[in-house]
């Protein structure tokens, strides 16, 4: 039985939310947060329990930590805990009139256009694309060498996501400007941009130029489709054919913004998760061998990857889930408190920023045995540690705002490492990397190089 700390109780006399020690005048805990936010917040949980507050400059944050606290956070209504005000730094990237620049009901409607494009037939096609794009990468590597893993995973997932989620025409233009523009957009998601998204830094100026360039690329593709009366089965066409509940169709800029929202959700975090999962498998060589054995058992007769085969890869799936637990790409999720919120006998005040941290909660020792250890078997019988509570793992969010691309992301990482482990033996070229907390999506500090040698025996995929 999980022992909860500071669990919600019946309302009593209000108590002040405990404050993390060590704050400095004016800047609060900003230095500690910039240096290592996970260590700082983990210290807060150890000292103060499930709910505590800290300051970053003038802004007050309240961390909800542990599954019961996550439940309260994710279950709160939009008019109490609201994401729109927090994620305004995404507006220059996604554009006006979409995502966090519109009311939650409109955002829900926009994302709802895409659910039919994630149906079973599409997922089968995605599995084929994931295999083909990873095989192209593998074929390009030669017999042995050194690979910058984050760079390779970013490039590969851009290719997969652009081809799967947007359309073949975008994938065809990856090398003709789209990839560079997209990378400049990625750089616009940073810690400074969270606080000052319109500050004219070099990264933000590049971001704004890249947004215009992507809009031009997408606009040309949409115009060409209309002239040719072409209707491919992809997200772009789904949005071109969609209409709001009031009958209005989407503008090209709205379509561009929604596609960028989906692309960031389906690619950026997937690249980071693929990187961390691969790194953990490289130093857990015995588990990597079990993945290879499973690959042979699932695909040995056909040598052909499929959606059904990916679903049978439980050993690989547990590795991906453990990668998500140890290295969630988003280490914090934030909402603005629009109305005071009660948790137990605490009252979270209006105006504060409520937060959960997957990176902290995924390593709570009363939830996960040996929490700092890579142990994919914790998800198998009899442990099933992730099933203790619906909010034990929150790497893809939770509740109403649980990431719609969760299954796509997990399937993509499974496909990538199934192919790469089948084709190559790997080893780390340096010490195991530390997280880069300067990036909003937290990958390893770069460069992060691995060595590879092509396998000549025991391969399943040719």
């Amino acid at each position: 039985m999980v022992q909860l700390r500071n669990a919600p109780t019946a309302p009593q006399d209000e108590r002040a939310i405990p404050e993390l020690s060590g704050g400095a005048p004016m800047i609060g805990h900003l230095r500690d947060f910039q240096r290592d936010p996970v260590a700082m917040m983990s210290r807060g949980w150890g000292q103060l329990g499930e709910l505590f507050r800290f300051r970053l400059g003038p802004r007050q944050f309240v961390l909800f930590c542990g599954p019961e606290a996550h439940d309260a956070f994710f279950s709160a209504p939009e008019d109490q805990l609201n994401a729109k005000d927090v994620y305004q730094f995404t507006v220059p990237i996604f554009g006006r009139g979409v995502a966090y620049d519109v009311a939650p009901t409109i955002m829900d409607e926009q994302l709802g256009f895409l659910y039919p494009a994630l149906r079973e037939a599409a997922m089968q096609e995605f599995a084929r694309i994931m295999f083909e794009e990873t095989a192209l990468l593998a074929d390009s590597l030669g017999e042995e060498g050194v690979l910058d893993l984050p760079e390779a995973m970013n490039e590969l997932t851009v290719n997969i996501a652009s081809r799967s989620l947007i359309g073949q025409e975008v994938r065809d233009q990856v090398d003709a400007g789209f990839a560079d523009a997209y990378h400049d957009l990625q750089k616009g998601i940073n810690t400074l941009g969270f606080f000052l998204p319109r500050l004219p830094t070099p990264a933000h100026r590049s971001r704004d130029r890249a947004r215009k360039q992507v809009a031009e690329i997408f606009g040309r593709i949409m115009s060409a489709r209309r002239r040719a009366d072409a209707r491919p089965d992809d997200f772009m066409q789904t949005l071109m054919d969609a209409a709001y509940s009031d009958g209005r169709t989407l503008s090209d800029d709205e379509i561009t913004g929604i596609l960028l929202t989906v692309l960031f959700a389906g690619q950026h975090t997937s690249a980071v998760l693929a990187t961390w999962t691969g790194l953990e498998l490289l130093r857990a060589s015995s588990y990597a061998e079990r993945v290879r054995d499973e690959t042979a058992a699932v695909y040995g007769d056909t040598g052909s990857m499929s959606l059904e085969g990916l679903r049978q890869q439980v050993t690989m799936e547990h590795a991906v889930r453990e990668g998500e637990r140890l290295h969630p790409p988003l280490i914090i999720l934030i909402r603005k408190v629009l109305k005071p919120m009660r948790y137990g006998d605490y009252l979270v005040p209006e105006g504060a920023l409520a937060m959960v941290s997957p990176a902290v909660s995924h390593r709570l020792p009363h939830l996960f045995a040996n929490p700092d250890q890579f142990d994919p078997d914790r998800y198998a019988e009899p442990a099933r540690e992730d099933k203790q509570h619906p909010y034990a793992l929150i790497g893809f969010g939770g509740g109403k705002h649980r990431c719609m691309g969760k299954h796509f992301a997990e399937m993509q990482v499974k496909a990538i490492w199934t192919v790469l482990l089948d084709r190559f033996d790997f080893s780390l070229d340096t010490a195991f990397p530390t997280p880069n907390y300067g990036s909003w999506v937290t990958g390893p500090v770069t460069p992060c190089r691995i060595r590879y040698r092509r396998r000549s025996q025991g391969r399943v995929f040719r």
Side-chain angles (χ1 to χ4, degrees):
M1 178 66 69
V2 174
Q3 297 296 314
L4 297 173
R5 307 172 53 177
N6 291 353
T9 60
Q12 302 170 1
D13 294 336
E14 278 179 24
R15 291 195 294 159
I17 298 171
E19 183 173 12
L20 181 63
S21 61
M26 303 294 292
I27 64 171
H29 301 83
L30 186 59
R31 286 200 187 98
D32 286 345
F33 190 84
Q34 289 177 319
R35 186 180 306 116
D36 191 332
V38 176
M40 187 201 84
M41 292 183 290
S42 296
R43 176 172 68 87
W45 177 84
Q47 293 177 355
L48 303 171
E50 289 192 315
L51 199 74
F52 62 90
R53 59 191 171 95
F54 58 91
R55 284 190 304 107
L56 301 179
R59 307 297 296 271
Q60 179 168 275
F61 292 79
V62 177
L63 184 70
F64 289 69
C65 192
E68 296 295 334
H70 300 161
D71 194 345
F73 178 92
F74 288 117
S75 300
E78 290 277 359
D79 62 356
Q80 185 172 52
L81 294 189
N82 184 267
K84 178 182 175 182
D85 288 350
V86 175
Y87 292 100
Q88 287 299 297
F89 71 95
T90 66
V91 173
I93 297 169
F94 301 151
R96 293 290 184 185
V98 298
Y100 296 108
D101 192 52
V102 296
T105 53
I106 301 300
M107 182 178 177
D108 290 345
E109 193 170 1
Q110 290 173 343
L111 294 179
F113 295 143
L114 301 175
Y115 280 108
L118 291 170
R119 62 193 183 279
E120 182 83 0
M123 297 298 280
Q124 291 174 352
E125 177 68 6
F126 296 161
R128 183 183 66 83
I129 290 171
M130 291 167 185
F131 173 80
E132 289 179 355
E133 291 290 345
T134 309
L136 285 172
L137 170 65
D139 292 343
S140 73
L141 293 179
E143 292 302 308
E144 60 181 297
V146 177
L147 188 69
D148 187 306
L149 188 59
E151 181 179 315
M153 291 300 99
N154 195 58
E155 181 179 335
L156 176 57
T157 53
V158 166
N159 292 344
I160 292 172
S162 60
R163 183 175 165 191
S164 299
L165 302 181
I166 303 182
Q168 182 65 45
E169 302 104 319
V170 177
R171 172 64 180 92
D172 292 342
Q173 296 197 39
V174 163
D175 296 326
F178 175 75
D180 289 340
Y182 181 73
H183 293 156
D184 284 342
L185 281 174
Q186 285 180 316
K187 294 173 187 175
I189 293 188
N190 52 60
T191 305
L192 178 62
F194 171 75
F195 292 100
L196 298 167
R198 299 292 180 180
L199 192 69
T201 64
H204 290 172
R205 286 194 291 267
S206 295
R207 172 202 66 193
D208 295 342
R209 287 194 298 270
R211 177 61 173 75
K212 292 178 182 177
Q213 186 177 354
V214 170
E216 290 170 359
I217 291 171
F218 287 5
R220 287 196 299 268
I221 293 170
M222 286 184 274
S223 295
R225 287 187 179 188
R226 292 183 182 111
R227 287 194 302 271
D229 196 24
R231 304 173 61 83
D233 186 10
D234 54 36
F235 277 21
M236 179 180 282
Q237 192 62 45
T238 296
L239 293 172
M240 290 173 68
D241 294 339
Y244 291 101
S245 55
D246 63 4
R248 181 175 67 86
T249 57
L250 283 70
S251 69
D252 283 3
D253 201 57
E254 285 176 306
I255 293 171
T256 295
I258 297 170
L259 289 175
L260 283 172
T261 304
V262 171
L263 190 57
F264 268 76
Q267 184 276 324
H268 203 178
T269 53
S270 293
V272 168
L273 181 57
T275 298
W276 283 119
T277 301
L279 289 169
E280 291 288 359
L281 284 169
L282 264 57
R283 67 174 179 178
S285 56
S286 62
Y287 198 87
E289 283 302 318
R290 288 171 57 187
V291 170
R292 288 187 175 119
D293 291 342
E294 179 182 68
T295 301
V298 173
Y299 302 110
D301 291 340
T302 65
S304 176
M305 183 173 285
S306 64
L307 177 61
E308 182 57 34
L310 287 167
R311 287 172 173 166
Q312 293 176 37
Q313 290 184 256
V314 177
T315 303
M316 185 70 243
E317 182 173 316
H318 289 171
V320 176
R321 197 169 302 165
E322 184 71 337
E324 175 204 343
R325 185 187 71 84
L326 285 172
H327 307 286
L330 297 176
I331 63 169
I332 54 175
L333 305 171
I334 309 174
R335 305 283 187 267
K336 186 173 182 180
V337 183
L338 301 185
K339 296 179 182 177
M341 177 182 176
R342 183 174 293 280
Y343 183 74
D345 50 359
Y346 297 115
L347 194 68
V348 183
E350 178 183 341
L353 294 175
M355 173 191 294
V356 294
S357 173
V360 174
S361 296
H362 286 182
R363 299 197 186 209
L364 296 181
H366 65 286
L367 292 177
F368 301 102
N370 301 313
D372 296 329
Q373 179 179 332
F374 178 75
D375 180 15
D377 289 331
R378 70 175 74 246
Y379 306 105
E381 297 288 356
R384 301 296 300 275
E385 290 182 357
D386 58 323
K387 301 301 182 183
Q388 300 173 79
H389 192 284
Y391 292 106
L393 284 180
I394 56 168
F396 287 92
K400 179 181 178 182
H401 291 293
R402 188 175 182 84
C403 178
M404 68 181 292
K406 175 181 184 295
H407 297 301
F408 178 90
E410 291 175 339
M411 186 171 85
Q412 181 174 206
V413 178
K414 287 169 68 175
I416 288 170
W417 283 106
T418 296
V419 174
L420 293 181
L421 287 173
D422 181 61
R423 297 285 180 90
F424 299 99
D425 290 315
F426 293 98
S427 62
L428 284 169
D429 193 49
T430 58
F432 197 85
T434 56
N436 175 19
Y437 291 126
S439 173
W440 188 260
V441 182
T442 306
V445 170
T446 57
C448 174
R449 300 186 181 94
I450 61 172
R451 293 191 174 275
Y452 63 88
R453 182 186 295 271
R454 191 172 296 274
R455 300 174 71 227
S456 58
Q457 302 294 324
R459 285 173 43 178
V460 174
F461 303 115
R462 300 298 174 185

